[in-house]
Amino acid sequence: ELRFLAFADSMPQLAWVAGPDGVNLYANRRWYEYTGAPETQGYSEVWRAAVHPEDAPRLLRAWEHARASGDAYQCEYRLRARDGAYRWFLARGVPQFDGRGRVVQW
């Protein structure tokens, strides 16, 4: 786990991990630096506020479809930076399965 955290915090991309239920468990340091959200607030508490309001419904539909189907998640949307400007991102979530084919995390 320490190796994963060090890797995730050193990369320039914004990265996250969610449980099988879709609840966000982790966001890397870069995500907090980019958005300006305090690390004391969990990722699951603040990510929706950073997504452009026009893009949020489409993003949530794509996420719900992926969770229900077990398919990989992908969506382009605008994310607000710490300076208030919105920039386009491509989000991807790949499910990890256990030996029985159940999603254990994203």
Side-chain angles (χ1 to χ4, degrees), residues 80-92:
R80 187 178 60 238
R82 75 173 38 242
D83 66 4
Y86 284 96
R87 293 178 183 87
W88 285 96
F89 279 80
L90 172 63
R92 296 207 57 205

Side-chain angles (χ1 to χ4, degrees), residues 43-66:
Y43 175 76
S44 61
E45 299 171 26
V46 296
W47 75 268
R48 289 182 192 211
V51 173
H52 193 284
E54 293 176 5
D55 301 335
R58 181 173 38 80
L59 179 127
L60 291 172
R61 279 193 307 274
W63 178 231
E64 290 304 318
H65 171 76

Side-chain angles (χ1 to χ4, degrees), residues 7 13-14 25 27-29 31-32 34 36 41-44 46 51 54 65 72 81 83 88-89 92 100-102 106:
F7 172 73
Q13 291 81 12
L14 312 184
L25 305 173
N28 68 347
R29 184 168 294 132
W31 191 89
Y32 290 100
Y34 179 81
Q41 285 187 294
Y43 175 76
S44 61
V46 296
V51 173
E54 293 176 5
H65 171 76
D83 66 4
W88 285 96
F89 279 80
R92 296 207 57 205
R100 295 181 156 172
R102 295 178 297 202
W106 293 86

Side-chain angles (χ1 to χ4, degrees), residues 18-23 25 63 67 96 102-106:
D21 56 1
V23 173
L25 305 173
W63 178 231
R67 285 190 46 240
Q96 293 181 336
R102 295 178 297 202
V103 175
V104 293
Q105 71 178 12
W106 293 86

Side-chain angles (χ1 to χ4, degrees), residues 1-13 15 26 28:
E1 183 177 341
L2 291 175
R3 209 174 282 158
F4 165 77
L5 294 174
F7 172 73
D9 281 340
S10 69
M11 57 194 245
Q13 291 81 12
Y26 167 80
N28 68 347

